Amino acid sequence: MDKIVVLDFGSQYSHLICRRIRELNVYCELVPYNLSIHKIMELNPKGIIFSGGPASVYATDSPKPDSKIFDIGVPILGICYGHQVIIDHFKGKIKRVDKREYGNAILEISDKTNLFKNIELDKIKCWMSHSDAAEVLPNGFKILGKTSSSFSAAIGNNRKKVFGLQFHPEVAHTEKGDMVLNNFAKVISGANSEWNMSNFIETVVIEIQEKIKDEKVLCAVSGGIDSTTCAVLIHKAIKNNLTCIFVDNGLLRENEKETVREIFEEKLQIPLRIIDARERFLRILEKISDPEEKRKKIGEEFAKVFTEFAEKEGPFDWLAQGTLYPDVIESGVSGGPATVIKTHHNVGGLPEWLHLKILEPLRFLYKDEVRTVAKILGVPKDILSRHPFPGPGLAVRIIGQISPQKIHIVRRASKIVEEALIEDKLYDKVWQAFAIVGDDKAVGILGDERLEGHIVSVRVVESVDAMTADWVRLPNETLEKISSRITNEVENVSWVAYTISSKPPATIEPQ
Ligand code: XMP
């Protein structure tokens, strides 16, 4: 399949470039900036994009690609820092400008033969975020567009098929950015549009069949979109050689077990083994209030439950996991967001001595692509539109020690929060919405009686990728509904508070 390769120089937008290219139905991979030319040629790219990055090309040890990359005849597009790498390589000159161009600028297009082909506008809004700019253009390069503070915001050498953009075509703030990337990927590099999720499903199903043959696969599902899609895809390929298990750790959302059972067995027609491990989880969590300790204990117990099942019901040869692309690729310069997300991985702690081979059919996909695959495979809307739920479940929403009473409060109250948002048509507009309970109590009056009840905090956040988040300015009517329903319907709660901390400095979950 035709592909574009993005060299990652550490920009926060590197993954975004990759996703944008894939949205054009062209397969795209992100690789470290210093991948050897030998490895790059093995990938056989139709075009190569240099991402942006925080460095300055003149700093000592600034990241540079293998210089032979300019000699292999594959078209290159440099973005921001990548643009400067090109200027530097071809012996142009960069200078640090006093006026840092950050944010929106207007690009005046002066050449519409290649990168800006078919763009009818002569001026487009574009997004800048760098303070270095070209002072002298290298020989053979032509100006394709300029801004008020950068005379060489877009440059190109048509003969060599090397182009540079000082701005970011991948971000939504750049007008016609998708057309610029389309021109690079399809017109200049000649990549065909062969990447789409229906083809992906067909190919992966065959690959799974060839890989697994008659062996047995074990897959733990959580009811989340990734593990569900992973299970459905594998089931499509190998039917009953797949065993799906769902562990009820007693820390699930209200009706979660029933919902997941119904979705798997009735809607998807995939047998599901449900393991009731509520008591043992409650036992190991007794008296623990440290958040990391909770996570650790839950992970270890999950691994034990899982191992016991595998030993009793096996042998199994493969362990299936719903790992996604951002979790598996090595980032070029910094650790990148993926490293942070990894510490949250639910099934990360499964014992290696089970000696299961790992099957990760979603490892090349981004989340939005998984959503499309799920839709095509008929995964019901309940799962597609469900808010993310942490692996350690309600445990991370209980501050202090975990008790059956606190589990009950947080489970019921969270359900009320969700119901209120669904009723007010807000559920699909927010990232997560739930309740939190700790040991703080406040006095209330119930009927004629004074009652010292728990304080429940409600958290509703909006976010794009959970790396940052903001609290949602809910309408007062919705807040009022949530508050009165929780105090009326959930025993031992006297007060309801709303959390107004964004991430950072707070995190989304309280523990
Ligand atoms: P934080 O609390 O770090 O959460 O802002 C970011 C996102 O990750 C989810 N989360 C977890 N997911 N295991 C998970 O699978 C965990 O231990 C875990 N902790 C947080 C959280 O719900 C949010 O979407």
Side-chain angles (χ1 to χ4, degrees):
M1 184 177 350
D2 286 354
K3 80 172 72 132
I4 299 290
V5 163
V6 177
L7 297 200
D8 182 10
F9 287 90
S11 162
Q12 56 174 324
Y13 300 130
S14 300
H15 270 298
L16 192 58
I17 302 172
C18 208
R19 277 168 52 195
R20 291 283 175 263
I21 299 285
R22 289 188 187 192
E23 278 166 17
L24 302 168
N25 298 113
V26 174
Y27 182 60
C28 187
E29 272 185 37
L30 186 62
V31 301
Y33 71 91
N34 53 0
L35 196 68
S36 71
I37 193 66
H38 177 66
K39 290 253 168 69
I40 291 178
M41 288 181 58
E42 267 177 16
L43 291 172
N44 195 21
K46 293 293 259 184
I48 297 172
I49 298 180
F50 297 172
S51 81
S56 162
V57 278
Y58 289 141
T60 34
D61 296 336
S62 60
K64 299 275 168 59
D66 189 323
S67 64
K68 294 188 207 70
I69 201 162
F70 295 98
D71 305 328
I72 56 175
V74 176
I76 294 176
L77 171 66
I79 295 174
C80 199
Y81 175 78
H83 168 73
Q84 289 152 20
V85 168
I86 291 172
I87 295 176
D88 184 50
H89 175 83
F90 288 101
K91 311 253 177 312
K93 243 176 145 181
I94 313 255
K95 70 163 184 182
R96 212 161 185 108
V97 286
D98 297 335
K99 195 171 150 221
R100 187 182 161 91
E101 239 186 332
Y102 187 86
N104 274 321
I106 300 292
L107 180 83
E108 284 177 48
I109 302 170
S110 50
D111 182 314
K112 292 193 180 173
T113 52
N114 36 56
L115 273 186
F116 301 105
K117 199 169 173 168
N118 296 329
I119 295 180
E120 282 164 9
L121 305 171
D122 293 328
K123 291 181 181 176
I124 55 173
K125 259 194 246 144
C126 63
W127 181 258
M128 298 276 192
S129 74
H130 215 282
S131 49
D132 289 355
E135 191 175 31
V136 180
L137 274 196
N139 281 340
F141 280 79
K142 196 178 152 199
I143 289 170
L144 312 178
K146 62 172 187 191
T147 66
S148 59
S149 55
S150 171
F151 79 95
S152 57
I155 62 168
N157 181 325
N158 237 342
R159 197 177 54 80
K160 285 191 185 302
K161 295 201 174 174
V162 176
F163 301 88
L165 298 173
Q166 182 66 43
F167 61 92
H168 291 273
E170 70 276 20
V171 306
H173 309 279
T174 294
E175 229 175 337
K176 306 286 175 196
D178 52 343
M179 282 188 74
V180 175
L181 292 174
N182 185 75
N183 283 336
F184 176 71
K186 296 187 191 166
V187 180
I188 296 168
S189 307
N192 284 320
S193 318
E194 296 162 327
W195 177 246
N196 68 61
M197 291 306 108
S198 303
N199 290 351
F200 169 83
I201 294 170
E202 262 176 48
T203 318
V204 164
V205 164
I206 294 170
E207 271 173 22
I208 296 174
Q209 286 164 341
E210 285 170 355
K211 206 182 228 176
I212 306 299
K213 302 197 178 72
D214 271 333
E215 296 187 320
K216 307 275 184 235
V217 180
L218 182 56
C219 179
V221 299
S222 67
I225 184 162
D226 303 344
S227 64
T228 305
T229 310
C230 175
V232 178
L233 203 51
I234 299 173
H235 186 258
K236 189 174 166 65
I238 60 167
K239 301 285 179 249
N240 292 340
N241 280 339
L242 169 72
T243 302
C244 292
I245 70 165
F246 178 84
V247 178
D248 180 358
N249 58 10
L251 300 160
L252 305 172
R253 285 174 278 198
E254 197 168 293
N255 292 331
E256 182 129 44
K257 183 174 63 183
E258 294 73 17
T259 311
V260 175
R261 195 200 58 73
E262 191 189 313
I263 287 175
F264 269 75
E265 302 218 310
E266 288 165 31
K267 298 196 175 145
L268 297 168
Q269 304 270 314
I270 300 176
L272 183 66
R273 300 287 301 270
I274 295 178
I275 299 175
D276 184 354
R278 286 176 295 178
E279 263 178 40
R280 54 192 283 184
F281 273 90
L282 199 57
R283 214 176 315 124
I284 56 131
L285 288 171
E286 235 174 0
K287 303 209 169 59
I288 295 174
S289 44
D290 178 68
E292 280 309 308
E293 186 74 10
K294 279 181 194 167
R295 276 205 173 75
K296 199 167 138 253
K297 290 264 181 206
I298 292 172
E300 284 168 3
E301 197 61 18
F302 182 82
K304 275 191 206 154
V305 172
F306 194 83
T307 308
E308 284 168 21
F309 181 88
E311 284 172 345
K312 198 161 133 235
E313 308 281 332
F316 293 97
D317 310 282
W318 294 83
L319 172 68
Q321 290 185 328
T323 320
L324 305 192
Y325 193 57
D327 292 334
V328 293
I329 51 129
E330 221 180 301
S331 172
V333 176
S334 62
T339 12
V340 184
I341 291 164
K342 264 186 201 157
T343 62
H344 284 155
H345 238 207
N346 310 336
V347 280
L350 291 177
E352 277 178 23
W353 50 265
L354 267 176
H355 297 306
L356 296 176
K357 293 176 269 188
I358 304 288
L359 181 64
E360 296 177 318
L362 308 179
R363 70 195 317 274
F364 292 108
L365 301 190
Y366 284 108
K367 191 85 179 185
D368 43 344
E369 294 173 322
V370 174
R371 261 194 207 104
T372 310
V373 169
K375 264 188 218 154
I376 299 174
L377 292 172
V379 172
K381 190 178 171 291
D382 321 23
I383 285 188
L384 288 176
S385 58
R386 201 101 201 259
H387 289 167
F389 187 61
L394 299 175
V396 296
R397 296 176 180 174
I398 294 174
I399 299 168
Q401 289 184 18
I402 293 172
S403 67
Q405 188 195 48
K406 281 157 92 180
I407 297 178
H408 174 76
I409 290 177
V410 85
R411 178 180 285 141
R412 264 287 49 228
S414 288
K415 183 70 177 176
I416 291 172
V417 174
E418 287 192 0
E419 282 173 354
L421 292 193
I422 291 171
E423 206 174 291
D424 292 356
K425 305 213 168 8
L426 294 166
Y427 183 86
D428 289 332
K429 296 193 178 132
V430 307
W431 176 263
Q432 270 174 310
F434 54 87
I436 298 161
V437 74
D439 296 315
D440 282 350
K441 293 194 169 174
V443 171
I445 298 163
L446 200 68
D448 287 335
E449 217 183 316
R450 264 170 77 87
L451 159 96
E452 209 196 25
H454 280 274
I455 301 177
V456 160
S457 303
V458 173
R459 183 122 175 95
V460 184
V461 294
E462 55 194 8
S463 174
V464 180
D465 53 11
M467 301 305 297
T468 60
D470 197 8
W471 59 282
V472 176
R473 278 60 172 171
L474 284 182
N476 285 344
E477 298 69 35
T478 309
L479 286 169
E480 193 179 330
K481 188 186 305 182
I482 289 172
S483 159
S484 64
R485 275 198 62 192
I486 291 177
T487 44
N488 283 333
E489 296 174 34
V490 189
E491 265 172 55
N492 294 308
V493 178
S494 51
W495 283 33
V496 175
Y498 191 55
T499 62
I500 51 169
S501 301
S502 57
K503 173 182 179 175
T507 49
I508 295 179
E509 306 288 350
Q511 293 260 285

